[in-house]
């Protein structure tokens, strides 16, 4: 596996992992590499600094990171406890509640970046979740 810093045509810089440099080239040529922030397909490799490890203990200890992520996951689970999963119907449901066509309820689901931006532009109150949510039908 190899990680590349990529830049889209609008200037967003992001990381992506590929099986090899050739795999990146193939996927880009096939239009399968897009910016996760705006969906732009005009993606190129950005300048990268070499991965040189820092001296000493410059980062947080792994146990501290694990504890933080566990606490964040617990807080998110608590916030979603009384929320209803609506899956890909999230934009439609949120819009209907905002328009008064459906009763207000606490919901969570999936939306593309474009769908979420459209909701925000329309004044529909939405917020991203800090951690990914596994859809109920995909849980073990």
């Amino acid at each position: 596996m190899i990680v590349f810093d990529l830049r889209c045509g609008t200037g967003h810089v992001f990381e992506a992992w590929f099986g090899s440099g050739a795999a990146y080239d193939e996927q880009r040529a096939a239009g399968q590499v897009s910016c996760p922030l705006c969906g732009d397909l005009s993606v190129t490799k950005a300048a990268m600094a070499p991965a040189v490890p820092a001296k000493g203990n410059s980062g947080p200890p792994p146990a501290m990171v694990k504890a933080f992520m566990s606490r964040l996951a617990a807080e998110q689970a608590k916030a979603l406890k009384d929320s209803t999963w609506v899956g890909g119907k999230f934009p439609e449901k949120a819009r209907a509640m905002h328009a008064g066509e459906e009763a207000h309820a606490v919901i969570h689901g999936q939306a593309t970046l474009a769908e979420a931006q459209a909701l925000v532009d329309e004044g529909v109150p939405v917020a991203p979740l800090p951690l990914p949510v596994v859809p109920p039908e995909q849980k073990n």
Side-chain angles (χ1 to χ4, degrees), residues 24-94:
Y24 161 77
D25 293 334
E26 291 168 11
Q27 290 177 33
R28 184 174 175 272
Q32 297 173 333
V33 180
S34 64
C35 176
L37 300 172
C38 67
D40 186 9
L41 291 172
S42 59
V43 174
T44 59
K45 291 180 186 174
M48 293 177 54
V52 178
K55 284 187 168 185
N57 289 340
S58 61
M64 182 185 294
V65 173
K66 185 175 179 180
F68 172 78
M69 293 303 289
S70 294
R71 186 168 176 189
L72 182 60
E75 290 298 319
Q76 179 169 298
K78 189 166 83 175
L80 294 179
K81 185 174 98 45
D82 297 322
S83 180
T84 302
W85 171 259
V86 295
K89 294 184 179 184
F90 179 81
E92 161 190 332
K93 294 274 193 190

